[in-house]
Amino acid sequence: AVQLVESGGGSVQSGGSLRLTCRTSAYITDTYCMGWFRQKPGEEREGVAVISSAAFIEYTQAVKGRFTISRDPRTSTLYLEMTDLKPEDTAMYYCVAGPGPNRCSVRPSATDLFLYWGQGTQVTVSS
């Protein structure tokens, strides 16, 4: 079975840092596009960062310069390093994966690419 299991969420103060980790089953090979989405209370899910097998990386504008996505294909693990966190980053963060690398993007039009979603990990940033 395909499994994406997130960890690393928590509560921090504004300006703090967190590192999210997503462990995947072996079915998610390094040919997959992987990424992180988030959902804020009362809002739609939005793409935060993606990384493809061709090392293509894309971030949503709001996190550029503060978040870093990376993956370790040897262990099928995805990471999201988040620094200088702001209250507006408060959301449930989801690890996602889909067959890639074509259409690997944070844009809303590419959301349907991501067939597999984790259960999410909560990030709360207080001012």
Side-chain angles (χ1 to χ4, degrees), residues 28-124:
I28 304 297
T29 69
D30 58 3
T31 65
Y32 272 64
C33 171
M34 296 196 68
W36 295 91
F37 274 60
R38 67 185 179 186
Q39 186 167 23
K40 302 175 184 180
E43 298 186 15
E44 297 287 322
R45 290 179 179 181
E46 64 171 342
V48 175
V50 297
I51 184 169
S52 77
S53 59
F56 168 79
I57 292 175
E58 185 178 53
Y59 299 97
T60 191
Q61 185 64 38
V63 308
K64 283 182 179 178
R66 300 188 297 121
F67 291 11
T68 302
I69 189 171
S70 61
R71 69 194 293 179
D72 184 346
R74 299 169 301 172
T75 60
S76 299
T77 305
L78 181 73
Y79 302 97
L80 186 68
E81 193 77 40
M82 305 186 294
T83 63
D84 190 23
L85 282 160
K86 306 175 186 299
E88 52 264 41
D89 294 317
T90 294
M92 183 72 77
Y93 284 72
Y94 298 90
C95 176
V96 298
N102 294 333
R103 296 184 61 227
C104 189
S105 174
V106 296
R107 289 173 294 183
S109 59
T111 301
D112 64 317
L113 170 71
F114 299 104
L115 303 179
Y116 306 108
W117 292 68
Q119 292 299 306
T121 185
Q122 178 67 38
V123 171
T124 302

